[in-house]
Amino acid sequence: MTECLITDEDGVVQGSCGLDDVFRLLANARRREIVAVLDSSDANWIERDRLLADPSGTDDGMEAIEARDALHHVHLPMLEDLGLIEYDRQSGAIRYYQCQLLSSVLAAIDLR
């Protein structure tokens, strides 16, 4: 299986992810949108509310409350379990770590 390092802005390795993990993560349109926003951000952190305020039109018709709940209870925990983010549930701050494999797959499917 192909493994890729997950690094912070200083190049310090935070973990690794595999190709199967990346495909599982990107299998959902909402998560692709979330990861694209995180990956294209100039900073290594973002506020949770910004992810809700930046829809790309792939919302699947979910109500705002359902979208917020899915972000908080499904999508962000999945990213956190893979080691791609640290999510402070109290403040809503999300710290994103880079994964070149994930970035490459996103570029290949051209979501940006």
Side-chain angles (χ1 to χ4, degrees), residues 65-77:
I65 293 172
E66 291 171 329
R68 185 195 69 225
D69 288 349
L71 180 69
H72 181 72
H73 294 292
V74 178
H75 304 306
L76 293 178

Side-chain angles (χ1 to χ4, degrees), residues 64-107:
I65 293 172
E66 291 171 329
R68 185 195 69 225
D69 288 349
L71 180 69
H72 181 72
H73 294 292
V74 178
H75 304 306
L76 293 178
M78 186 173 188
L79 287 162
E80 193 169 39
D81 287 347
L82 289 174
L84 292 167
I85 66 167
E86 286 180 29
Y87 173 40
D88 184 332
R89 286 157 180 76
Q90 294 292 344
S91 71
I94 300 164
R95 181 177 178 161
Y96 179 67
Y97 297 109
Q98 295 292 317
C99 174
Q100 188 57 48
L101 176 61
L102 184 60
S103 297
S104 297
V105 172
L106 279 175

Side-chain angles (χ1 to χ4, degrees), residues 19-37:
L19 188 57
D20 289 343
D21 296 327
V22 169
F23 286 150
R24 192 171 21 262
L25 180 71
L26 298 178
N28 177 277
R30 181 67 176 125
R31 279 194 302 274
R32 286 192 301 273
E33 178 183 303
I34 291 165
V35 171
V37 170

